[in-house]
Amino acid sequence: MRASTAAEASRVPQGADGRIPRWVSALVVVLSAVAVYANTASYGAAWDDTRFVFASGAHEGVRVVPELFRRPMVRDVPPQRSAYRPLTTASYALDWTLSRGRPAFFHKVNIALHALASLLVWGLMLRLGASTLAAGAGGLIFAVHPVHVEAVANIAGRSELLASVWVLIAALVYLSRAAHRVRVPLLTACYALALLSKEHAVVLPALLVALETLRATPAPSDWRRSGIRRIARALAAQWPVWVGLVAVTVAYFAVRLAVLGTLTTADVAPFIGGLPPPARVSTAIANWTIVARLFLLPLDLVVDYGPAVVMPAGPSSLRFWAGLGVGGAALSLAVWGWRASLPLIPSGIVWIAIALFPTSNLLVPIAQWLAERFLYLPSVGFAMAAGVGIVHVTTGLGRRECRMAVAGVALWMLFLAQRTWDRNRTWADSESVIATLITEHPESFRAQWYLGRLRFQQGRLEEAFAALDSASTLQPNAIELPLERAEWLLRLGRYSEAEALLGTLPFGRHAQREAYLVRALAAQGRHAAADSLLTLARAAFPENATLRALSDSLGVGGAGAAPGDSAIGPRR
C-alpha cells in the first residue's frame, strides 16, 4: 500500500505544523483523555456492570479464559439473546485476577484504553495527511467529548473501547508502507480481535474500502479523466487484504453461529421489533437529528433512549424530515470538503455513516433505538472532520477574526471537557444512574420502572404498582416488567399471584422467570413441582448462577426473591 503522496497531503491544510512538535500534540491528547475521566478512577460497579462484567464468568479469573471463548457472554437469557464477546470478557477476567475484583481497577483500565484510542485517532489523522495542528484538534475532540462517557465511565462499555482500539490499529496498519506479507497477517489479527471484542467491528472492511476509495479519488478537476479507473485499480491492488478480511468474517460468523445459534441477534427491543419495517426505518432516519445534536451540542445526555424518550416517527412527521435534512447536510458537507481539497472531511462523514450503520436499525433491528456508547467508534469520523474543518476555517481568516474563531473553538472544547467531567458522576453507581434518569427524563419507561422500584422499597406499594403499570404501558411486550412485578409479589408473600403471573410468560426466555416460579412453588409447599421445574431450568440455562444457587438452597428455604435480584434486561 502506498502512503499518502505529497500531492494528497497538500490537499489538507497544514496549519501551523512547524510550530507544534508532534510529541507535544500527542501528549496533550493523551493527558486530556486521562484528565477528563480521572474522577471515575474510584467509582464502583453500576447499571449493566453486574450482568455484563461480574456475572459473565469474569469473577472466576483468568483460569476460565479458554472457556469464555466457547460460551455466550450473558448467562440468564437464551444464547440467541446474548452476545459473543469473549475478548472483552477475558479482559474482565484478567482485571479480576489482578485486582481481586476491585471495580476501581476496571475503571482505570477503561481510562487507559480511551487514552490509547484518542492517541490512535491522532495518529490516523496524521497518516491520512492532516497537519499536526489538525490532528491535535481532532484527537483532543475525541479525548474530551462527553458522548463517550457511557463507554468509558461504565465498566460494561469496555467492549466499545476494545473494538475501537483494534479497528483504529487495523486502519493504521492498512495505511502503512509495509508489504502485503506483513500487513495482511497484522490486519486479519486486528480484525479478529476487534470482532471478538464486539460484533460491531464487522464494519472494518467497509471502513478500509472507504478510506482507500477516498484516498484514491482524484481532485475534482481530474475526476472525468481518471476517477473511476484510478479507484478501481487502487482497490484491486489490495486484493490480498480483502481476501484475508473475508476469511476472518466467515470464520467469525461460523463460530458465532455455533455459540449463539444466530448470525445476528434475537435480543430485539419489543418497541422496535414490533414495528413494520417502513416505520422502523423512518424512525431510524428521524434519529439522525439526535446523533447530530449529540456530536455538536451534547447538553442533554440520556441513559436510555427507549420509550418515551424516542417514539416512532413516520414519513409525515417533522422529525423524519429533519433527519433527512441532517443526512442531506452531511452529504453536502462531504461534497464541499472534496471540492475544497479537504479529503478528511468526506472521509470523516463516510466513517460516521459506516460505523453507525450496525446500530442504526435501518437493516437489522436491535435492542435500542440509540445509545451514546454506540457513538464511540462513529465519533472517530466526527473528530477527523471537525479537527480539519476547524483548522481550515481559522487559518483562512484575518488576524482579528482568527482570534475570535479560536476563542470560540476553545470555549466549545472547554464545554465538552466540563460536560464530560460532570456527566461522569452519573455513572458512579447504579443509584446515581437511576436518580439521574428519573430526574432528567421521568417520561421514559425505565424511569417509571425504577421509580416504581424505589417506591416499593419505601413501602409505598400503591404508587409502586402504578409506576410499574405506567412503564408497562410504554413497553407492553417487555418480559422484564412482569418479572419485576413477580419479584415484588414474592417479597410480599403473595406466592399464588406470582405463580399466576409467571405462568403467562414463556418458558426458556429468561432465567429469572424460572427462578421466581420455582420459589413461588416451593413457598406453597409444592416441592416436587418446584424440583421438576428447576431441573428443566438448569438444563435450559446451565451457566446461570441464580439457578445454581437456588438448586443448592431448595428444600432449605429461601422462597421469595433474594436481596439484590434484578430483572433488568440486557441493553447491549
Side-chain angles (χ1 to χ4, degrees), residues 72-113:
M73 187 179 193
V74 182
R75 313 285 185 81
D76 57 358
V77 295
Q80 295 87 349
R81 296 187 65 219
S82 184
Y84 182 62
R85 302 167 191 169
L87 191 65
T88 298
T89 310
S91 77
Y92 293 145
L94 177 60
D95 286 2
W96 190 281
T97 298
L98 293 175
S99 68
R100 297 182 181 179
R102 292 192 297 272
F105 185 85
F106 290 72
H107 284 292
K108 291 171 184 174
V109 172
N110 272 22
I111 295 172
L113 286 170

Side-chain angles (χ1 to χ4, degrees), residues 136-138 140-141 144 387 390 408-418:
L140 188 60
I141 290 169
V144 304
I390 286 170
V409 170
L411 287 174
W412 178 62
M413 288 197 181
L414 285 173
F415 158 72
L416 296 180
Q418 183 62 46

Side-chain angles (χ1 to χ4, degrees), residues 27 45 64-65 71 193 233 373 386 389 410 484 490 536 540 545 553 567:
L27 186 62
V64 299
V65 165
R71 64 192 187 192
L193 292 169
R233 284 196 299 267
R373 63 187 178 275
E484 182 83 17
L490 288 170
L536 293 173
S553 66

Side-chain angles (χ1 to χ4, degrees), residues 47 67-68 83 158 182 200 338 393 412 452 459 488 515 550 552 559-560 562 565:
W47 198 246
E67 181 63 25
L68 298 177
R158 175 81 57 86
V182 176
H200 297 165
W338 173 58
V393 170
W412 178 62
W488 296 358
L550 187 59
D552 295 337
D565 280 353

Side-chain angles (χ1 to χ4, degrees), residues 484-541:
E484 182 83 17
R485 186 182 298 271
E487 179 183 349
W488 296 358
L489 294 172
L490 288 170
R491 292 190 179 191
L492 294 172
R494 294 156 61 175
Y495 305 119
S496 60
E497 291 182 56
E499 179 190 356
L501 172 60
L502 293 166
T504 65
L505 304 178
F507 173 84
R509 187 177 169 193
H510 202 296
Q512 208 67 43
R513 182 261 186 192
E514 324 312 335
Y516 289 161
L517 188 52
V518 167
R519 288 182 172 129
L521 293 171
Q524 296 176 76
R526 295 156 59 188
H527 296 288
D531 184 65
S532 177
L533 176 61
L534 185 55
T535 300
L536 293 173
R538 289 295 306 277
F541 302 96

